[in-house]
Amino acid sequence: GGEVVLTAPCLFGGRYDRLTAVLDQGGLRYLDAGAGLFLWIDLRPFLSYGDSGPPQRENSGSWAGAVGVEEALLPAREAEAERALYLRLIHEFGLLLTPGASMRSEEPGLFRCVFSAATEEGFEVALQRFARLAAAPRAT
């Protein structure tokens, strides 16, 4: 009959657009995917390395080689900085994102945000939390 069925691309495309609008407004970079079930967000400016600053890396600041095919093992200092940021995201902002290292990222500070499993109410709360994160001071 007259039943309307919304498809996943329709629903998730709208969420992608809403999330990236909040990230754009807050000056947070992400890997432009157009749509999908998740989004890679660049939170490298929030990584804290203490007084010595971030380690020098080849291609630092670009997405080139950020997500490798083989499992990447970050140097200890970078892994510690990413884990500290992961915990800060949870405790200070209420955001549970997947650290890039667990997804074979070769660069610390890249986090995967899966937005397809949240309820609409939960997604709205997450948008507010991302806006709070975007307003927070960067470490670098």
Side-chain angles (χ1 to χ4, degrees):
E3 188 173 317
V4 176
V5 177
L6 295 176
T7 62
C10 173
L11 293 173
F12 299 143
R15 284 189 176 188
Y16 175 90
D17 292 341
R18 289 162 50 210
L19 176 57
T20 56
V22 168
L23 299 176
D24 288 339
Q25 186 175 23
L28 296 176
R29 293 179 45 196
Y30 54 89
L31 184 58
D32 191 9
L37 304 177
F38 64 88
L39 180 69
W40 282 101
I41 303 175
D42 182 356
L43 298 179
R44 290 177 283 190
F46 292 92
L47 290 173
S48 178
Y49 294 98
D51 294 337
S52 58
Q56 295 300 313
R57 305 184 101 232
E58 223 176 281
N59 293 328
S60 186
S62 79
W63 288 95
V67 181
V69 175
E70 298 300 321
E71 184 171 351
L73 296 176
L74 295 175
R77 195 160 157 251
E78 293 178 346
E80 288 170 18
E82 184 172 82
R83 178 161 171 71
L85 178 54
Y86 167 74
L87 294 173
R88 180 179 177 214
L89 292 170
I90 292 170
H91 297 293
E92 188 174 332
F93 298 99
L95 293 168
L96 180 59
L97 305 176
T98 305
S102 68
M103 300 302 299
R104 302 179 180 166
S105 174
E106 297 176 4
E107 182 87 23
L110 304 177
F111 287 80
R112 192 171 93 154
C113 173
V114 178
F115 52 82
S116 56
T119 64
E120 188 57 31
E121 181 181 352
F123 184 72
E124 286 298 324
V125 169
L127 293 178
Q128 295 169 8
R129 292 174 180 181
F130 272 112
R132 264 191 32 240
L133 171 65
R138 274 59 166 174
T140 56

